Amino acid sequence: MNPSRRPLIAGNWKMYKGGRTGVELAQGVVEISRTLGSGVDLVIAPPFTVLAAIASTIEDSSVKLAAQNFYPKNEGAFTGEISPLMLKDCGCEWVIVGHSERRQYFGESDSFVGEKVASALASDLIPIVCVGETLDQRQAHETLRVVQQQLHAFLDILARSPRAVAIAYEPVWAIGTGKVAGPGEAEEVHAAIRTWLAEKSDALAVRTRILYGGSVKPDNAATLFACPNVDGALVGGACLEAASFGAIAKAANH
Ligand code: 13P
């Protein structure tokens, strides 16, 4: 295993655990991280309201902090928005960009996702950029075309940066549905993404971790992580309990 592709398990808390229960969950993740050693990287992405508190909770651990979103300007009259510099200030090293829920419910386009990837990198935040097809697109055999088009919006930006970022393949039909992609389905898309990265630059393909997301649970994680191009997971529902997030991390820790 290439050291820059050490397994990465990231927990996207979505709109859950924004207060005291979030700090308690982060404490549980820190305890689990102490049992894991250095074979796997853990990132948690709590809601904005609890980021600063959790930055203190994880301070003396290997757990890293991510935000779930931001607005790609450093400051300004953008009521209700959070800038990348603000995220850095409250201890974030990572940020999720282009999640399908942002694309679907908040109208984020491929070009806006590209703008956000560039802004994150300019502010020294490491993006986890999400791509993935809907059920209709999969049934119409458009999966690879759709994913390639989404990637097209930010691949050049990634190739120009030396940072080792992560891409999360999250088939929309697998998110929150309990219908996980089979290892063959996941590996096909992950391998295609690796090939498109390599077409830009071999170094980019070597350093980029490609995570799978969509109904990852303790009982299906090991099968997914056995795929050669699956470098970890972006976990939703199962990251809201430290024990199940920990069990997924253990499955990646080899
Ligand atoms: P679930 O694990 O709940 O399917 O969510 C996946 C996801 O959207 C992670 O970003």
Side-chain angles (χ1 to χ4, degrees):
M1 170 70 67
N2 182 313
S4 65
R5 281 175 53 198
R6 182 170 48 223
L8 169 64
I9 306 299
N12 175 6
W13 294 12
K14 307 195 179 183
M15 205 167 71
Y16 297 99
K17 299 197 182 276
R20 188 181 47 78
T21 55
V23 173
E24 287 163 6
L25 175 55
Q27 284 163 346
V29 174
V30 165
E31 278 163 31
I32 279 157
S33 72
R34 302 218 154 100
T35 68
L36 286 173
S38 58
V40 58
D41 291 339
L42 295 186
V43 171
I44 52 176
F48 290 133
T49 49
V50 78
L51 285 174
I54 288 180
S56 312
T57 310
I58 64 175
E59 204 171 11
D60 296 320
S61 80
S62 59
V63 180
K64 303 293 186 200
L65 194 59
Q68 298 173 22
N69 187 36
F70 68 101
Y71 189 69
K73 297 278 184 229
N74 287 342
E75 59 181 8
F78 300 104
T79 302
E81 294 298 328
I82 305 282
S83 82
L85 298 182
M86 294 169 182
L87 297 181
K88 286 291 289 185
D89 256 7
C90 67
C92 291
E93 290 181 43
W94 292 79
V95 68
I96 299 171
V97 180
H99 192 279
S100 64
E101 288 152 14
R102 303 264 358 137
R103 295 174 188 263
Q104 186 180 348
Y105 303 132
F106 303 98
E108 294 197 4
S109 63
D110 286 344
S111 69
F112 191 53
V113 170
E115 196 183 327
K116 289 173 79 169
V117 170
S119 168
L121 288 167
S123 301
D124 204 25
L125 282 168
I126 313 169
I128 300 173
V129 201
C130 304
V131 295
E133 82 287 1
T134 63
L135 184 59
D136 283 352
Q137 289 164 336
R138 173 158 284 268
Q139 286 172 341
H141 306 287
E142 288 181 345
T143 298
L144 294 182
R145 183 191 65 73
V146 168
V147 171
Q148 188 175 26
Q149 183 180 314
Q150 291 170 336
L151 281 174
H152 188 71
F154 59 86
L155 270 194
D156 282 337
I157 300 163
L158 298 189
R160 282 195 296 270
S161 163
R163 292 308 295 262
V165 309
I167 293 172
Y169 168 56
E170 297 207 314
V172 178
W173 49 269
I175 294 177
T177 59
K179 282 189 213 140
V180 65
E185 290 171 315
E187 177 59 19
E188 181 194 18
V189 180
H190 283 234
I193 293 172
R194 187 88 59 204
T195 302
W196 294 321
L197 292 169
E199 282 168 9
K200 288 287 168 203
S201 118
D202 284 336
L204 180 63
V206 167
R207 70 174 176 258
T208 302
R209 284 181 281 194
I210 308 175
L211 313 181
Y212 170 80
S215 296
V216 177
K217 308 285 176 209
D219 62 1
N220 58 31
T223 315
L224 288 159
F225 299 153
C227 299
N229 285 291
V230 175
D231 304 317
L234 182 55
V235 183
C239 78
L240 296 175
E241 298 285 343
S244 50
F245 189 59
I248 292 168
K250 280 196 179 79
N253 190 23
H254 46 71

